[in-house]
Amino acid sequence: MSTLPNCPKCNSEYTYENGALLVCPECGHEWTPGEAAPEEGTRVWKDANGNVLQDGDTVTVIKDLKVKGASSPIKGGTKVKNIRLVEGDHDIDCRIEGFGAMQLKSEFVRKA
Ligand SMILES: [Zn+2]
């Protein structure tokens, strides 16, 4: 009897096979078995929709963001090119026209 891996999302052990996919009945997550689970310590950056972000991506800011020391916020809808992912609370390094070098939170952007 083969043992199915736990759900990578919620760690439920009640996963089952559905064709080529594995399905978690508890959180609804579906994935392909054999897909390498992220190694411990390997961070994955995700945008507001849960899409994985990568260095060099272009993202769109999803809401107005106040900037310390700036007279106006970064407006929702602002496109940010060539992001760089970094560790930390603000986990995106980038440059925004009119603001210069900035750090953003990945939860406030959407992959463009
Ligand atoms: Zn799950």
Side-chain angles (χ1 to χ4, degrees):
M1 192 180 142
S2 72
T3 314
L4 295 173
N6 286 3
C7 172
K9 240 182 171 176
C10 69
N11 208 33
S12 163
E13 57 187 292
Y14 303 109
T15 53
Y16 61 90
E17 281 174 299
N18 183 6
L21 289 174
L22 289 176
V23 182
C24 170
E26 295 200 41
C27 73
H29 185 54
E30 297 182 350
W31 72 102
T32 315
E35 212 173 78
E39 281 173 46
E40 198 104 3
T42 305
R43 168 126 189 232
V44 177
W45 281 257
K46 290 187 179 169
D47 71 2
N49 295 335
N51 293 313
V52 175
L53 297 168
Q54 288 176 322
D55 280 348
D57 273 352
T58 298
V59 297
T60 307
V61 177
I62 57 169
K63 59 175 222 167
D64 289 4
L65 298 174
K66 283 210 180 94
V67 181
K68 243 188 213 163
S71 53
S72 56
I74 298 169
K75 285 261 190 289
T78 301
K79 271 211 172 148
V80 184
K81 284 182 191 164
N82 201 16
I83 61 167
R84 204 164 63 81
L85 302 167
V86 295
E87 294 285 347
D89 181 33
H90 289 68
D91 47 13
I92 295 176
D93 250 353
C94 58
R95 291 191 71 82
I96 299 179
E97 231 169 286
F99 292 93
M102 289 294 309
Q103 291 203 318
L104 298 174
K105 290 189 182 187
S106 53
E107 64 201 85
F108 295 139
V109 303
R110 189 156 42 78
K111 202 165 172 162

